[in-house]
């Protein structure tokens, strides 16, 4: 017991950088500040004014390109897929990286680039709302999951942040649920990057099917709470 206590006293805290300060970013920052095992290296947000009343100025990162100056051990992205596209490789070459917007990995070239960069540091994709992600991975690895996997997400129309024709289709939803999309997860990620992260996580958990082979079904339902 005494040995464990001494080891804990001298154990270095893991420094965590957060990219994005929405609901999830706020939750993570609060938990890290309260933690005895982690410390906040920095917080970046596209709109800096959001941080001014909540985060100490010494922790605010003005430009993502300057992340190395804060010496993080891991950077957690909870902002937008474009962050991973623009900075993921650079971050991975320096430290561990957790992607909170895995729709970014629907870009096959980017995915392969990040995997190559992760030879030294860790690349993490949280399962999020994907219950059974580990089981999907096991079935994929064992060859049981060979033909199909479908992930259905239901959201209130106001909770959907969509692009292109899906945005127009969602605007027409009134009292009944409407299937906005059913098809390859690969194609829907670009049209609904904020609302298809669970589908993307499933595609990553089942590499034998991937983004092309996993089917995503996105439903706009006015009766949903959120």
């Amino acid at each position: 017991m005494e040995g464990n206590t001494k080891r804990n006293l001298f154990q270095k805290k893991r420094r965590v950088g957060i990219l994005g300060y929405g609901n999830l970013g706020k939750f993570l920052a609060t938990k890290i500040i309260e933690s005895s095992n982690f410390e906040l290296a920095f917080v970046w947000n596209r709109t800096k004014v959001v941080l001014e009343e909540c985060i100490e100025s010494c922790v605010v990162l003005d430009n993502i390109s300057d992340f190395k100056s804060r010496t993080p051990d891991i950077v957690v992205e909870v902002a937008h897929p474009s962050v991973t596209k623009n900075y993921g490789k650079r971050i991975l070459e320096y430290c561990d990286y957790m992607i909170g917007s895995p729709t970014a990995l629907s870009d096959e070239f980017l995915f392969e680039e990040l995997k190559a960069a992760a030879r030294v540091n860790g690349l993490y994709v949280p399962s999020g709302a994907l219950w059974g992600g580990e089981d999907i991975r096991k079935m994929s690895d064992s060859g049981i999951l060979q033909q199909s996997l479908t992930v259905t997400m239901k959201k209130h129309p106001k909770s959907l942040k969509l692009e292109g024709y899906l945005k127009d289709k969602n605007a027409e939803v009134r009292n009944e649920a409407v299937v906005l999309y059913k098809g390859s997860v690969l194609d829907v990620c670009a049209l609904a990057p904020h609302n298809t992260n669970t589908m993307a996580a499933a595609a990553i958990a089942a590499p034998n099917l991937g983004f092309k082979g996993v089917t995503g079904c996105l439903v706009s339902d006015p009766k949903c709470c959120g």
Side-chain angles (χ1 to χ4, degrees), residues 21-216:
Y21 199 67
N23 291 333
L24 186 51
K26 291 176 183 177
F27 174 81
L28 290 173
T30 299
K31 291 300 180 182
I32 290 168
I33 291 170
E34 295 173 352
S35 173
S36 59
N37 297 316
F38 300 93
E39 64 180 351
L40 205 54
F42 65 80
V43 179
W44 171 89
N45 194 63
R46 184 173 59 86
T47 307
K48 185 179 176 182
V49 68
V50 176
L51 302 174
E52 292 178 352
E53 296 181 359
C54 308
I55 298 295
E56 293 184 25
S57 59
C58 62
V59 182
V60 174
L61 183 69
D62 293 326
N63 193 315
I64 299 178
S65 297
D66 298 328
F67 76 94
K68 291 182 183 179
S69 66
R70 306 301 179 89
T71 61
D73 295 302
I74 183 170
V75 173
V76 181
E77 175 276 314
V78 284
H80 190 274
S82 62
V83 172
T84 293
K85 181 178 181 180
N86 295 328
Y87 299 98
K89 181 175 180 289
R90 202 181 316 175
I91 293 171
L92 261 175
E93 289 173 343
Y94 180 82
C95 65
D96 293 344
Y97 185 47
M98 179 176 286
I99 303 175
S101 305
T103 52
L105 302 181
S106 62
D107 181 332
E108 186 176 356
F109 176 80
L110 175 63
F111 198 1
E112 292 302 319
E113 183 179 62
L114 293 179
K115 286 193 288 186
R119 290 172 182 168
V120 176
N121 298 307
L123 174 62
Y124 301 96
V125 180
S127 57
L130 181 65
W131 293 96
E134 288 298 321
D135 293 326
I136 291 173
R137 167 67 75 170
K138 290 176 182 177
M139 288 190 290
S140 176
D141 291 343
S142 65
I144 297 174
L145 188 64
Q146 295 183 353
Q147 296 183 346
S148 65
L149 172 64
T150 299
V151 180
T152 300
M153 298 295 294
K154 286 187 177 182
K155 295 279 188 178
H156 190 280
K158 292 183 179 179
S159 297
L160 292 167
K161 298 179 181 179
L162 307 171
E163 304 292 340
Y165 78 92
L166 289 188
K167 183 177 181 179
D168 297 333
K169 194 172 181 179
N170 186 52
E172 297 175 357
V173 175
R174 295 295 179 261
N175 300 317
E176 300 298 325
V178 175
V179 176
L180 299 179
Y181 177 91
K182 187 171 183 179
S184 169
V185 170
L186 178 66
D187 295 327
V188 76
C189 282
L191 295 169
H194 294 281
N195 302 111
T196 54
N197 284 313
T198 301
M199 297 178 188
I204 295 165
N208 63 318
L209 297 176
F211 283 86
K212 292 181 181 179
V214 174
T215 298

